[in-house]
Amino acid sequence: MIQLIKGFKDILPGEVETWQRIERVARNLFGDFGFKEIRIPIMEKTELFARSIGEDTDIVEKEMYTFPDRKGDLITLRPEATASICRSYVQHKLYAQEPVRKFYTIGPMFRRERPQKGRYRQFYQINVEIFGVASARVDAELIYLLNILCQRLGVEDVAAHINSLGCPKCRPGFKTSLLNYIDSVADQLCSDCLRRKDRNPLRVLDCKVPTCREAMTDAPSIIDCLCDTCDTEFQILQSTLDRLGVNYMLDKRLVRGLDYYTRATFEIQTGSLGAQSAVAGGGRYDGLVKLLGGPDTPATGFAIGFDRLAEIVQMQGDDLQRKPDAYIAAMGEQSQALAFDWVCDLGSQGFYIEMDHQGRSLKSQMKRANRLDAPYVVMLGQNELDSGAAVLRDMATKEQTEIPLERLVQAIVKRSQKK
Ligand code: AMP
């Protein structure tokens, strides 16, 4: 038997209804806030991700699915969506049409991480991005959106963590004091941290190795080093969240693994997922559009881990599966042929009808109709064909009615419309 690739998964009926519901709720919400959908390719030139995510990140260093195509050009299965959305924004000069653009996209991402619960090699994200607004008010809008989305989905055990990463003006000062601290605890850090500390000391803050976390407990906080503008923006973020009634906590360790982030950074964490506690993460990336050859454009966004959100959305997938409008229990070849015509006729009119193709007994067909929770069962055998009328049973009231065969489709339509 050929099995699926390690770290990849199927989303089966029963589970997929949860995904559909999340997607429906998300799309409605984003529409209410003026976001437009954008669809971007699954593959891009490798250099797009290398340049925008940063060479010394886990993603670029060891997690990307990169391979030469048949002509030898290096291409990569996208590990995230922001770089592609920015590429598209620059390539199609989307900034020329409107000063502020709001986009969302939903789809699979690929990272060759160590698979475990909540961490896959193909996973899905819901990405939301706002281009052209420098104010931290829109960072608050994003966190607010995440909050409302969780509320609408009935997800309660979530908390917003926020931090600021400063800007190219104030971050260098912070990096220096951070590096001094890192050097003082260097003997307790992992080899990845030691290798990266000089080029990107911020990464040491979000290393997941427990001994590194322990060693970094008393590290300086960037909040104490922010320049006036970054400080004002961070205050705006907090006061806006206060006004919108969003609970949040300051988290000095929150630095994000990607190089292009500036100022506001945030994560939505949950206690329901064990080790993989981040349901969504995002922040401001004012430098990225310019880095990719576009005009200097402030931008901010987030990515929700769809797989993780689906896991914590409290609901029975079964309840959302579409139930048939009726079940036709047909016995004998001729009855089955007639039943099949009705199923197709009613299906084309928007009614979902189930029937049996295995020639099972009436008893076992009735059992199946019950399991599928069909509100009506049509019984059709040789006797009914001879008499020219089928028996229609209302499964709730147990009432049975004889319906002439030529009026049966009409009878089901009438009853299903009333429901
Ligand atoms: P990132 O793009 O790394 O900022 O991740 C944003 C969100 O995507 C995270 O908060 C997770 O919920 C989700 N995520 C990231 N990597 C994975 C993965 N390998 N498997 C499942 N979800 C993931």
Side-chain angles (χ1 to χ4, degrees):
M1 185 188 35
I2 299 172
Q3 303 227 345
L4 47 64
I5 307 169
K6 189 174 167 201
F8 286 58
K9 65 173 185 177
D10 300 313
I11 304 161
L12 303 175
E15 193 188 350
V16 90
E17 291 76 12
T18 305
W19 288 65
Q20 289 169 342
R21 173 164 173 247
I22 292 174
E23 210 172 306
R24 212 167 38 241
V25 172
R27 285 176 187 280
N28 280 338
L29 178 63
F30 301 153
D32 293 345
F33 280 76
F35 289 84
K36 305 276 188 284
E37 184 173 6
I38 181 168
R39 297 193 186 192
I40 44 182
I42 302 281
M43 291 198 282
E44 297 271 4
K45 291 181 179 167
T46 302
E47 61 184 285
L48 173 68
F49 301 117
R51 203 179 325 161
S52 53
I53 298 174
E55 297 278 2
D56 55 345
T57 55
D58 279 348
I59 294 180
V60 174
E61 264 185 4
K62 47 190 179 192
E63 294 172 358
M64 293 202 306
Y65 283 93
T66 296
F67 46 90
D69 73 0
R70 286 176 181 273
K71 283 210 169 138
D73 298 325
L74 276 188
I75 49 179
T76 295
L77 284 173
R78 61 182 188 193
E80 56 113 50
T82 305
S84 300
I85 295 176
C86 285
R87 194 254 325 122
S88 178
Y89 180 80
V90 172
Q91 180 171 351
H92 303 293
K93 297 193 171 55
L94 299 179
Y95 46 83
Q97 300 159 15
E98 284 269 350
V100 177
R101 303 298 304 248
K102 298 168 97 174
F103 302 114
Y104 73 91
T105 197
I106 302 176
M109 307 296 154
F110 304 85
R111 293 182 198 171
R112 204 172 186 291
E113 294 188 81
R114 196 168 52 78
Q116 61 185 82
K117 188 172 156 48
R119 200 204 275 159
Y120 310 99
R121 289 181 171 177
Q122 175 175 332
F123 59 99
Y124 292 74
Q125 285 187 338
I126 302 174
N127 281 262
V128 168
E129 321 283 351
I130 302 178
F131 291 91
V133 186
S135 167
R137 256 199 311 274
V138 296
D139 301 319
E141 175 182 336
L142 294 178
I143 299 171
Y144 181 66
L145 270 183
L146 284 164
N147 221 39
I148 300 288
L149 181 64
C150 287
Q151 268 176 28
R152 289 195 184 171
L153 292 169
V155 171
E156 277 167 4
D157 185 17
V158 285
H161 291 229
I162 64 168
N163 194 15
S164 173
L165 297 180
C167 67
K169 215 164 97 192
C170 54
R171 205 170 351 178
F174 171 67
K175 276 188 172 175
T176 308
S177 57
L178 183 63
L179 197 52
N180 285 338
Y181 176 86
I182 292 172
D183 284 336
S184 74
V185 297
D187 54 339
Q188 301 162 53
L189 300 177
C190 72
S191 55
D192 273 351
C193 284
L194 292 178
R195 190 166 43 78
R196 288 174 180 155
K197 72 178 173 63
D198 293 312
R199 265 199 301 177
N200 194 352
L202 260 66
R203 292 298 318 281
V204 181
L205 276 172
D206 77 341
C207 179
K208 299 289 181 291
V209 175
T211 43
C212 296
R213 292 190 74 81
E214 177 76 37
M216 295 303 287
T217 311
D218 296 324
S221 168
I222 190 164
I223 302 303
D224 301 326
C225 303
L226 295 178
C227 64
D228 287 348
T229 320
C230 286
D231 188 50
T232 306
E233 288 300 316
F234 198 50
Q235 297 307 326
I236 290 174
L237 172 63
Q238 293 174 72
S239 58
T240 312
L241 288 174
D242 289 338
R243 276 205 319 278
L244 296 174
V246 177
N247 288 323
Y248 60 89
M249 59 187 87
L250 303 188
D251 185 345
K252 69 172 185 180
R253 281 173 179 273
L254 197 64
V255 291
R256 319 279 304 141
L258 313 180
D259 273 356
Y260 51 66
Y261 285 98
T262 51
R263 291 191 183 145
T265 184
F266 52 88
E267 207 162 78
I268 304 296
Q269 297 185 5
T270 176
S272 318
L273 281 178
Q276 305 305 319
S277 59
V279 185
R284 187 159 276 284
Y285 49 96
D286 289 344
L288 186 57
V289 174
K290 188 153 182 230
L291 183 84
L292 294 176
D296 205 354
T297 308
T300 180
F302 64 71
I304 301 172
F306 204 147
D307 309 68
R308 295 185 191 173
L309 186 59
E311 261 171 61
I312 52 174
V313 166
Q314 293 298 317
M315 121 182 94
Q316 271 294 314
D318 283 354
D319 291 348
L320 291 173
Q321 283 199 53
R322 184 162 169 193
K323 291 174 190 149
D325 294 303
Y327 185 96
I328 305 177
M331 268 94 35
E333 175 54 32
Q334 210 185 331
S335 303
Q336 283 190 358
L338 183 55
F340 183 75
D341 293 347
W342 289 341
V343 169
C344 292
D345 184 356
L346 284 158
S348 75
Q349 299 184 53
F351 301 98
Y352 162 37
I353 314 297
E354 270 293 345
M355 66 173 283
D356 167 69
H357 291 281
Q358 269 102 23
R360 276 187 275 209
S361 68
L362 179 61
K363 195 171 155 206
S364 79
Q365 292 201 47
M366 292 306 283
K367 257 197 201 159
R368 179 156 175 253
N370 251 323
R371 203 175 60 242
L372 294 172
D373 207 9
Y376 299 101
V377 173
V378 178
M379 286 174 270
L380 184 67
Q382 195 56 50
N383 288 346
E384 286 73 24
L385 288 180
D386 292 343
S387 71
V391 176
L392 183 80
R393 180 181 172 90
D394 183 320
M395 298 295 274
T397 63
K398 315 255 185 299
E399 189 188 333
Q400 302 202 154
T401 322
E402 281 199 2
I403 313 265
L405 299 184
E406 65 279 6
R407 290 224 304 274
L408 193 106
V409 165
Q410 209 184 327
I412 292 180
V413 168
K414 216 166 96 196
R415 282 171 173 75
S416 303
Q417 278 170 339
K418 258 198 245 155
K419 288 237 158 207

